[in-house]
Amino acid sequence: MASIFPMELFGSHLNVRPGVFIGYWKKEEANNIYSFTLYPRALDISGSDEPDVWRWSWSESDPRIEVEVAELLVGHDLVVNGIFEMSHLTPGKKYEIFYMLYFKNPPAFEPRFSVTLQLPKGKPIVTERPLKIGPEGRAVVEGGEFVASADGQVKFSLANPDHLEWKKGLTIVGVSIRKSRLDAVV
Protein backbone atom coordinates (compact mmCIF):
# COMPACT_ATOMS: atom_id res chain seq x y z
CA MET A 1 0.00 0.00 0.00
CA ALA A 2 1.13 3.51 -0.63
CA SER A 3 2.37 5.27 2.46
CA ILE A 4 1.38 8.80 1.47
CA PHE A 5 -2.01 10.35 2.13
CA PRO A 6 -3.87 9.93 -1.20
CA MET A 7 -5.37 13.42 -1.59
CA GLU A 8 -6.46 12.68 -5.14
CA LEU A 9 -9.09 10.33 -3.75
CA PHE A 10 -10.88 13.27 -2.19
CA GLY A 11 -10.07 15.71 -4.94
CA SER A 12 -11.98 13.68 -7.51
CA HIS A 13 -14.37 11.40 -5.64
CA LEU A 14 -17.42 13.49 -6.58
CA ASN A 15 -16.11 14.78 -9.88
CA VAL A 16 -18.07 13.61 -12.91
CA ARG A 17 -15.63 14.77 -15.61
CA PRO A 18 -14.09 11.52 -16.99
CA GLY A 19 -16.17 9.10 -14.94
CA VAL A 20 -19.65 7.75 -15.26
CA PHE A 21 -21.85 8.06 -12.18
CA ILE A 22 -24.00 4.94 -11.90
CA GLY A 23 -26.47 4.91 -9.02
CA TYR A 24 -24.44 4.44 -5.88
CA TRP A 25 -21.05 4.03 -7.53
CA LYS A 26 -18.92 5.78 -10.11
CA LYS A 27 -16.73 4.24 -12.80
CA GLU A 28 -13.62 5.89 -14.24
CA GLU A 29 -11.46 4.59 -17.05
CA ALA A 30 -7.81 5.40 -17.67
CA ASN A 31 -5.75 3.33 -20.09
CA ASN A 32 -8.49 0.65 -20.19
CA ILE A 33 -8.18 0.12 -16.42
CA TYR A 34 -11.33 0.74 -14.43
CA SER A 35 -11.48 2.37 -11.00
CA PHE A 36 -14.60 2.73 -8.91
CA THR A 37 -15.96 4.74 -6.02
CA LEU A 38 -18.72 3.16 -3.98
CA TYR A 39 -20.78 5.72 -2.11
CA PRO A 40 -22.28 5.03 1.32
CA ARG A 41 -25.69 3.84 0.06
CA ALA A 42 -23.86 1.02 -1.79
CA LEU A 43 -22.32 -0.14 1.50
CA ASP A 44 -23.70 -2.03 4.48
CA ILE A 45 -23.09 0.28 7.47
CA SER A 46 -23.96 -1.04 10.93
CA GLY A 47 -26.87 0.88 12.44
CA SER A 48 -27.26 3.12 9.39
CA ASP A 49 -31.04 2.82 9.58
CA GLU A 50 -31.08 4.26 13.12
CA PRO A 51 -31.67 8.05 12.91
CA ASP A 52 -30.34 8.62 16.45
CA VAL A 53 -27.02 6.98 15.42
CA TRP A 54 -26.50 8.06 11.77
CA ARG A 55 -27.55 11.14 9.80
CA TRP A 56 -27.85 10.78 6.03
CA SER A 57 -27.35 14.03 4.14
CA TRP A 58 -26.51 15.15 0.65
CA SER A 59 -22.86 15.90 0.03
CA GLU A 60 -22.14 19.52 -0.72
CA SER A 61 -18.74 18.80 -2.26
CA ASP A 62 -19.98 19.04 -5.85
CA PRO A 63 -23.35 20.63 -6.66
CA ARG A 64 -23.45 18.93 -10.08
CA ILE A 65 -24.35 15.53 -8.64
CA GLU A 66 -26.26 14.27 -5.64
CA VAL A 67 -24.56 11.76 -3.37
CA GLU A 68 -25.62 10.89 0.16
CA VAL A 69 -23.03 10.58 2.91
CA ALA A 70 -23.50 9.08 6.39
CA GLU A 71 -22.47 10.97 9.54
CA LEU A 72 -22.07 9.14 12.86
CA LEU A 73 -23.91 11.15 15.53
CA VAL A 74 -22.76 9.27 18.65
CA GLY A 75 -19.89 7.11 19.84
CA HIS A 76 -21.08 3.83 18.30
CA ASP A 77 -19.48 0.73 16.90
CA LEU A 78 -18.40 1.22 13.31
CA VAL A 79 -18.70 -1.62 10.83
CA VAL A 80 -18.76 -0.97 7.08
CA ASN A 81 -19.11 -3.92 4.69
CA GLY A 82 -18.95 -3.95 0.92
CA ILE A 83 -19.06 -6.40 -1.98
CA PHE A 84 -17.96 -5.66 -5.52
CA GLU A 85 -18.14 -7.81 -8.66
CA MET A 86 -14.68 -8.55 -10.07
CA SER A 87 -16.14 -8.55 -13.60
CA HIS A 88 -16.11 -4.72 -13.44
CA LEU A 89 -12.33 -4.70 -12.91
CA THR A 90 -9.47 -5.37 -15.31
CA PRO A 91 -8.34 -9.01 -14.82
CA GLY A 92 -4.69 -9.42 -13.84
CA LYS A 93 -4.32 -5.83 -12.62
CA LYS A 94 -3.52 -4.99 -9.02
CA TYR A 95 -6.07 -2.83 -7.18
CA GLU A 96 -6.17 -1.17 -3.78
CA ILE A 97 -9.10 -0.28 -1.56
CA PHE A 98 -9.36 2.95 0.45
CA TYR A 99 -12.10 3.92 2.91
CA MET A 100 -12.67 7.66 2.57
CA LEU A 101 -13.83 9.39 5.74
CA TYR A 102 -14.26 12.93 7.00
CA PHE A 103 -14.08 14.27 10.57
CA LYS A 104 -15.63 17.50 11.82
CA ASN A 105 -13.30 17.19 14.82
CA PRO A 106 -10.43 14.82 14.01
CA PRO A 107 -9.16 12.74 16.94
CA ALA A 108 -5.92 13.88 18.56
CA PHE A 109 -4.51 10.37 18.32
CA GLU A 110 -4.16 7.78 15.56
CA PRO A 111 -7.01 5.28 15.94
CA ARG A 112 -6.67 1.84 14.40
CA PHE A 113 -9.22 -0.09 12.39
CA SER A 114 -9.62 -3.74 11.58
CA VAL A 115 -9.91 -4.24 7.82
CA THR A 116 -10.92 -7.47 6.13
CA LEU A 117 -10.39 -8.40 2.49
CA GLN A 118 -11.74 -11.61 0.95
CA LEU A 119 -11.21 -12.68 -2.64
CA PRO A 120 -13.20 -15.33 -4.54
CA LYS A 121 -12.46 -18.80 -3.16
CA GLY A 122 -10.13 -17.26 -0.57
CA LYS A 123 -10.17 -16.95 3.18
CA PRO A 124 -10.72 -13.53 4.75
CA ILE A 125 -7.48 -11.63 5.39
CA VAL A 126 -7.78 -9.44 8.50
CA THR A 127 -5.24 -6.72 9.27
CA GLU A 128 -5.11 -3.70 11.52
CA ARG A 129 -4.62 -0.31 9.85
CA PRO A 130 -4.16 3.24 11.16
CA LEU A 131 -6.44 6.12 10.30
CA LYS A 132 -4.51 8.62 8.17
CA ILE A 133 -5.81 12.12 8.76
CA GLY A 134 -5.06 14.76 6.17
CA PRO A 135 -5.99 18.38 5.71
CA GLU A 136 -9.42 19.72 6.65
CA GLY A 137 -10.55 16.57 8.48
CA ARG A 138 -10.23 14.29 5.46
CA ALA A 139 -9.12 10.80 6.45
CA VAL A 140 -8.31 7.49 4.80
CA VAL A 141 -7.96 3.92 5.98
CA GLU A 142 -6.16 1.58 3.59
CA GLY A 143 -8.23 -1.54 2.99
CA GLY A 144 -5.69 -3.76 1.24
CA GLU A 145 -4.50 -4.77 -2.21
CA PHE A 146 -5.55 -7.56 -4.52
CA VAL A 147 -5.16 -8.77 -8.09
CA ALA A 148 -8.46 -8.79 -9.99
CA SER A 149 -9.77 -12.00 -11.46
CA ALA A 150 -12.24 -12.33 -14.33
CA ASP A 151 -15.18 -13.26 -12.11
CA GLY A 152 -16.38 -13.60 -8.52
CA GLN A 153 -16.62 -10.96 -5.83
CA VAL A 154 -14.20 -9.06 -3.65
CA LYS A 155 -15.60 -8.56 -0.14
CA PHE A 156 -14.21 -5.95 2.22
CA SER A 157 -14.95 -4.47 5.61
CA LEU A 158 -13.79 -1.79 8.02
CA ALA A 159 -14.46 -2.11 11.76
CA ASN A 160 -13.84 -0.28 15.01
CA PRO A 161 -16.16 -1.82 17.59
CA ASP A 162 -15.65 0.52 20.53
CA HIS A 163 -18.38 2.98 21.53
CA LEU A 164 -16.03 5.88 22.28
CA GLU A 165 -16.96 9.48 21.55
CA TRP A 166 -13.96 10.20 19.26
CA LYS A 167 -16.00 8.80 16.36
CA LYS A 168 -18.82 11.31 16.84
CA GLY A 169 -19.01 13.42 13.67
CA LEU A 170 -17.19 10.86 11.49
CA THR A 171 -18.68 10.90 7.99
CA ILE A 172 -18.41 8.00 5.57
CA VAL A 173 -17.69 9.50 2.16
CA GLY A 174 -17.17 6.26 0.23
CA VAL A 175 -14.84 3.43 -0.71
CA SER A 176 -12.39 3.74 -3.58
CA ILE A 177 -11.31 0.68 -5.56
CA ARG A 178 -8.53 1.82 -7.84
CA LYS A 179 -5.50 0.65 -9.72
CA SER A 180 -2.60 0.16 -7.36
CA ARG A 181 0.33 2.53 -7.65
CA LEU A 182 2.51 -0.57 -7.47
CA ASP A 183 0.60 -2.40 -10.21
CA ALA A 184 2.16 -5.52 -11.59
CA VAL A 185 0.62 -7.69 -14.24
CA VAL A 186 0.30 -11.19 -12.84
Side-chain angles (χ1 to χ4, degrees):
M1 298 297 300
S3 61
I4 62 169
F5 183 79
M7 285 301 298
E8 67 275 10
L9 292 178
F10 280 97
S12 65
H13 81 278
L14 290 178
N15 197 337
V16 292
R17 62 184 190 315
V20 178
F21 183 73
I22 306 170
Y24 296 125
W25 53 279
K26 185 183 109 179
K27 172 174 91 173
E28 288 191 30
E29 179 180 6
N31 301 323
N32 293 323
I33 299 171
Y34 296 107
S35 296
F36 296 86
T37 300
L38 281 70
Y39 297 105
R41 287 287 186 192
L43 304 169
D44 179 17
I45 302 169
S46 65
S48 65
D49 57 346
E50 300 175 38
D52 56 329
V53 176
W54 289 95
R55 175 184 314 138
W56 287 90
S57 60
W58 297 102
S59 173
E60 298 175 2
S61 296
D62 190 330
R64 296 174 292 174
I65 61 173
E66 295 180 350
V67 174
E68 282 184 290
V69 294
E71 178 186 352
L72 188 58
L73 300 175
V74 295
H76 189 270
D77 64 324
L78 176 65
V79 179
V80 179
N81 294 301
I83 299 174
F84 197 74
E85 293 292 331
M86 290 272 209
S87 61
H88 296 298
L89 303 174
T90 306
K93 292 294 181 180
K94 187 181 256 188
Y95 286 85
E96 53 192 355
I97 294 176
F98 289 97
Y99 296 88
M100 301 179 296
L101 310 171
Y102 169 79
F103 283 92
K104 286 183 179 176
N105 298 307
F109 63 100
E110 188 178 81
R112 300 192 68 76
F113 290 83
S114 173
V115 296
T116 304
L117 182 65
Q118 184 175 3
L119 300 177
K121 301 177 187 147
K123 293 182 179 181
I125 301 166
V126 180
T127 56
E128 192 173 287
R129 303 283 182 156
L131 174 72
K132 294 182 178 181
I133 301 175
E136 301 173 7
R138 296 172 179 174
V140 171
V141 177
E142 297 173 353
E145 291 182 319
F146 64 94
V147 175
S149 61
D151 58 0
Q153 298 175 325
V154 58
K155 298 176 183 179
F156 47 91
S157 69
L158 169 80
N160 184 290
D162 67 44
H163 284 62
L164 301 178
E165 288 296 312
W166 68 264
K167 289 185 276 188
K168 183 178 178 181
L170 175 149
T171 299
I172 297 175
V173 177
V175 174
S176 176
I177 302 172
R178 53 175 270 177
K179 180 185 172 216
S180 173
R181 294 173 201 200
L182 304 174
D183 180 42
V185 177
V186 177

